[in-house]
Amino acid sequence: MSTAGGKTVKLILATRNAGKVPEMHAILVDAGVNAEISALDEYPDIPMVPETEPTFVGNALLKARAVAAHTGLPAIADDSGLAVDELKGMPGVLSARWAGRFGGDDQDRANLDLLLDQLTDTPAERRGAQFVCAVALVMPDGIESVSEGVMRGRLIRERRGENGFGYDPVFVPEGDSRTTAEMAPKEKNEISHRGIAFRAMAAELAEML
Ligand code: ITT
């Protein structure tokens, strides 16, 4: 395995979703960084930071700064969402709670039902949208770096596919005819806003070390 400077770097990924850790690890290894990554479930005493900023970059920085300050380790955080052309970029940073606060599986279903309702009268040529992801890296010495990824596409009228989460069942990326819920996870990562942003951040980190 190739590593930056041959040493292992310890990182905290500011998420309670432990499933993101192996994905991040693989992207870092590809960039030549051998990292030992922990998620927040290993630090139960770190308080949840409310995502109060109006931008993805702002929220990602909020989370990464809080975790770096608390642990003294390099911290990575992401924020993402769907920006719909017809809704002037919304739900944007409100994507996770667009239909209000439901929790659990009902949350994604309610968010998507509401979005489809809102776009009922919107014709095909105005159904453009993009997924956006911002990733922030905050080093203990205060150095910060932000990377963004965008995946453009269009919204269809009915759900298709079982993979993914959130708005995936109605999002068809540019250049494809399937929704991102009809793609294998690896295939989606290659073109996704999150994949693009994380790979850019991994390259930045490789440079810093
Ligand atoms: P964390 O903040 O704890 O990481 P989260 O995924 O709920 O979890 P976000 O604030 O990043 O938090 O919200 C992203 C929302 O945007 C998510 O709930 C989805 O509704 C939507 N979203 C983001 N990326 C998506 C993707 O790849 N596919 C489908 N929906 C996505």
Side-chain angles (χ1 to χ4, degrees):
M1 187 188 296
S2 93
T3 62
K7 62 180 182 180
T8 300
V9 54
K10 265 190 111 168
L11 291 173
I12 312 288
L13 190 55
T15 176
R16 304 246 174 229
N17 177 357
K20 282 189 185 172
V21 171
E23 193 184 318
M24 180 80 248
H25 189 259
I27 290 173
L28 285 171
V29 168
D30 280 350
V33 179
N34 191 26
E36 186 188 318
I37 308 172
S38 307
L40 289 186
D41 51 354
E42 291 180 36
Y43 295 83
D45 52 327
I46 299 184
M48 283 296 280
V49 182
E51 297 179 5
T52 50
E53 290 292 316
T55 62
F56 296 112
V57 168
N59 283 325
L61 275 170
L62 262 188
K63 291 191 275 186
R65 281 175 187 152
V67 173
H70 195 278
T71 61
L73 292 170
I76 295 169
D78 71 316
D79 192 34
S80 61
L82 180 70
V84 178
D85 297 351
E86 186 75 352
L87 301 179
K88 304 191 171 20
M90 290 197 280
V93 293
L94 305 177
S95 294
R97 300 282 178 268
W98 189 232
R101 214 171 270 273
F102 285 81
D105 291 344
D106 288 348
Q107 182 73 58
D108 278 358
R109 188 163 45 79
N111 289 339
L112 187 41
D113 282 345
L114 177 58
L115 184 71
L116 287 176
D117 273 359
Q118 289 163 330
L119 299 179
T120 303
D121 296 330
T122 304
E125 66 274 16
R126 297 212 314 265
R127 297 181 73 92
Q130 58 194 26
F131 276 121
V132 181
C133 177
V135 181
L137 167 68
V138 175
M139 305 298 274
D141 61 6
I143 291 180
E144 297 182 342
S145 154
V146 174
S147 308
E148 277 189 281
V150 171
M151 169 168 57
R152 264 211 74 80
R154 62 190 170 82
L155 300 170
I156 58 172
R157 292 178 179 275
E158 265 146 34
R159 291 167 163 85
R160 277 189 352 224
E162 302 298 324
N163 297 333
F165 66 103
Y167 302 93
D168 279 327
V170 297
F171 184 85
V172 175
E174 252 172 21
D176 214 299
S177 56
R178 296 163 303 166
T179 67
T180 38
E182 293 176 300
M183 296 180 170
K186 194 168 181 300
E187 206 178 358
K188 179 185 162 190
N189 283 342
E190 275 163 23
I191 57 165
S192 82
H193 50 312
R194 197 169 298 99
I196 294 166
F198 272 117
R199 286 190 291 273
M201 193 280 303
E204 285 270 330
L205 186 58
E207 291 257 307
M208 279 183 196
L209 297 173

